[in-house]
Structures are given as structure tokens and as C-alpha cells.
Amino acid sequence: MRPSVPLFAAVLCTATALAAFPAPRFYHTVEGTPLDFDLAMEEGRETEAVQTFMETGINIYNEDPDILPDAESLFASMCSGCHGHYGEGKIGPGLNDDYWTYPRNEEDVGLFSTLFGGATGQMGPMWGKLTLDEMLRVMAWVRHLYTGAPETAFWLTSDKRASFTPFDPGTREDGGL
């Protein structure tokens, strides 16, 4: 017995739509092994941002003014000692320009993988220090610090890219301090 044409078309459309948006895959930045999310803290797993990111690889916190103050605070306490307050780099690489030590970090899935699993040198895994939601917030701050051209901000949606202004610490109310 043959399925009806409408049923076949619906199944084909659904399969095509799912194939067009595959779930992201997360691998350790240096080793290339799959990341084990069972290691992550229980807290912060069920947020809308984490759920969306795990399904699509899109960080909905990027350029969200409501979370940027918290994101800045997390970055200042967890990352700025090595990467500089504005991501300019210190003992760790700079994070605010177009050069990435690990090219995968140009995209949010790669940057998340580096945060979660760690990298080389002093960059240890953050899965025991930050929740998954906090990692997405830190990533949003790193992306906010970007000083390059908007058209090379690959992590932004086209709408956000159109309105993106590169970071300039001299324009901050605190004088960039």
C-alpha cells in the first residue's frame, strides 16, 4: 500500500527542515574528543538560552543589553586576569579582534567548546566553575568586546550584525577603566 501524496510530502518537508538545522556538535578544542555535558553543573542547564544554544548553536544573549552587565561581571571575575579587562590579551590571547588562536572560536559553538572543555596552557575547563548559562553570558561579553568590522562578526544574526557597533572602551562612562 502506497502512502498518500500529502502524507509523503509532509514527511519529506519535515525531514528536509530537520536536516537544514542540524543540532550543533561539541568537541574539545585541542583534543577533538566529544564534550561530556554530564560534567556540567546541574544549575543553569534549563534556561531558554541554554536550550536554544544546544539545539541551534545560536547564543540568544549576544548583544542583549539586559544580560551584558552580569556578563561583564562574570568575565571580569573569571577571565580578565588572563585575557585583559577588555579582551585585549595579557598572559592569555586577546579575544576582541579578528585573530583567534583557535579558528573554531569565530563561531559560538567553537567558543563554547573552548570555555567548557578548556584549551592549552593555563586555560582549564570551565565546566566546574561556571554554569552552562553563565558560559553563554561570558561568551556574549566576549562578543560584545569585539573591535572588528560588523560584517566579520559571524556569530551575530543578520539583524544584530546590521546594528552592531564595534567596542570602544573610550566611549564607556567609566572612561574605559
Side-chain angles (χ1 to χ4, degrees):
M1 177 166 162
R2 288 183 8 184
S4 68
V5 173
L7 175 62
F8 179 74
V11 170
L12 183 60
C13 287
T14 301
T16 302
L18 290 175
F21 299 104
R25 295 181 180 189
F26 299 92
Y27 296 98
H28 191 279
T29 299
V30 176
E31 300 167 5
T33 55
L35 294 178
D36 181 1
F37 290 115
D38 289 340
L39 298 171
M41 293 182 212
E42 290 297 321
E43 178 188 353
R45 288 178 180 236
E46 301 301 323
T47 67
E48 177 188 0
V50 170
Q51 297 301 312
T52 299
F53 187 71
M54 292 299 177
E55 292 170 9
T56 66
I58 295 170
N59 185 356
I60 62 173
Y61 289 149
N62 285 340
E63 291 307 300
D64 178 345
D66 293 335
I67 66 92
L68 288 177
D70 180 55
E72 179 180 17
S73 178
L74 284 167
F75 181 87
S77 65
M78 298 299 298
C79 313
S80 67
C82 293
H83 295 287
H85 191 68
Y86 295 115
E88 70 278 9
K90 290 168 88 176
I91 62 172
L95 304 174
N96 66 359
D97 58 19
D98 285 324
Y99 176 78
W100 292 97
T101 303
Y102 305 105
R104 292 184 60 217
N105 292 350
E106 288 181 353
E107 296 185 8
D108 280 342
V109 170
L111 184 57
F112 182 88
S113 297
T114 300
L115 275 171
F116 185 87
T120 58
Q122 299 292 319
M123 179 69 190
M126 293 291 118
W127 53 259
K129 297 173 180 73
L130 295 169
T131 69
L132 297 178
D133 191 73
E134 288 171 332
M135 287 182 212
L136 293 176
R137 290 169 185 264
V138 166
M139 287 171 47
W141 183 250
V142 168
R143 298 313 195 192
H144 181 71
L145 293 174
Y146 184 63
T147 60
E151 56 271 8
T152 58
F154 304 115
W155 52 88
L156 293 175
T157 63
S158 57
D159 291 344
K160 288 185 178 181
R161 193 174 299 126
S163 63
F164 182 76
T165 302
F167 185 77
D168 178 2
T171 62
R172 288 182 51 112
E173 291 177 15
D174 63 8
L177 302 175

